[in-house]
């Protein structure tokens, strides 16, 4: 199905997301509550896990909240509330973050242009991609890409 380059990028993007979530979790929960909260989080997460997998598997598509709520057999409102409780983000913001993190991984591992990468993560409007990238990372895609070439930037 996927060539190994794309598969490796997907794996790297997922790993980056996992590391970010672990860091967020470390800050969110005090040490004495971590074990207690782990089990309840896993139970809740399973309700939206299918939607999260769908987002990653369809990174180049225009995935909508309606698509995800239908996938989980929930109303859009109920799905959105549950998703936000479980991930800390609304589905729309989560989708954008996944796409931008995937784009960052692609910038680090390929010579493709920013516009090519934007299209590959399903964002066809380069201005929207640039604006979303800056909102999520704090810098523009071009500055990020330049910083990869010169780590002292």
């Amino acid at each position: 199905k996927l060539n190994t380059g794309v598969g490796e990028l997907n794996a790297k993007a997922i790993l980056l997301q996992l590391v970010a979530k672990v860091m967020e979790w470390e800050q969110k929960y005090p040490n004495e509550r971590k074990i207690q909260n782990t089990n309840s989080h896993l139970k809740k997460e399973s309700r939206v896990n299918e939607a999260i997998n769908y987002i990653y598997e369809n990174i180049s598509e225009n995935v909508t909240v309606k698509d995800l709520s239908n996938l989980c057999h929930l109303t859009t409102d109920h799905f959105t509330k549950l998703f936000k409780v479980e991930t800390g983000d609304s589905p729309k913001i989560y989708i954008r973050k996944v796409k931008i993190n995937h784009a960052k991984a692609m910038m680090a591992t390929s010579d493709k242009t920013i516009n090519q990468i934007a299209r590959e993560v399903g964002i066809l409007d380069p201005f929207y991609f640039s604006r979303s990238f800056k909102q999520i990372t704090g810098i523009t895609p071009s500055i990020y890409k330049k910083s990869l070439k010169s780590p002292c930037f």
Side-chain angles (χ1 to χ4, degrees):
K1 268 184 171 178
L2 297 173
N3 68 36
T4 53
V6 173
E8 285 179 31
L9 287 176
N10 282 336
K12 288 177 183 178
I14 291 168
L15 182 59
L16 288 172
Q17 281 291 108
L18 178 62
V19 169
K21 278 295 179 190
V22 168
M23 291 172 63
E24 180 182 313
W25 187 71
E26 287 286 332
Q27 292 174 350
K28 191 173 182 178
Y29 296 108
N31 285 336
E32 66 274 2
R33 294 180 58 204
K34 285 183 183 169
I35 294 173
Q36 175 186 351
N37 287 328
T38 301
N39 292 335
S40 63
H41 179 72
L42 289 175
K43 288 177 191 171
K44 291 177 191 174
E45 186 180 35
S46 65
R47 297 279 327 253
V48 296
N49 198 33
E50 190 173 357
I52 290 171
N53 288 337
Y54 185 84
I55 292 167
Y56 280 97
E57 290 168 2
N58 295 279
I59 194 86
S60 64
E61 302 299 321
N62 181 25
V63 177
T64 66
V65 177
K66 183 75 174 160
D67 295 335
L68 299 175
S69 62
N70 288 341
L71 183 70
C72 295
H73 307 290
L74 298 169
T75 65
T76 302
D77 287 342
H78 183 70
F79 172 77
T80 300
K81 289 174 188 171
L82 182 63
F83 194 94
K84 176 133 180 145
V85 166
E86 298 313 314
T87 65
D89 288 319
S90 71
K92 286 182 181 181
I93 291 172
Y94 188 90
I95 292 166
R96 276 197 318 158
K97 285 181 176 180
V98 168
K99 288 179 180 281
I100 297 304
N101 284 332
H102 189 73
K104 286 170 59 180
M106 290 178 73
M107 285 180 203
T109 59
S110 79
D111 292 329
K112 293 181 180 178
T113 68
I114 292 170
N115 286 342
Q116 287 172 322
I117 291 170
R119 284 191 300 274
E120 285 194 31
V121 298
I123 301 175
L124 303 179
D125 180 347
F127 298 109
Y128 178 74
F129 176 77
S130 184
R131 191 170 57 247
S132 294
F133 194 99
K134 186 169 183 179
Q135 286 173 343
I136 291 168
T137 65
I139 59 175
T140 65
S142 57
I143 291 173
Y144 178 79
K145 193 167 183 177
K146 285 177 189 171
S147 74
L148 294 171
K149 293 178 182 170
S150 59
C152 297
F153 182 85

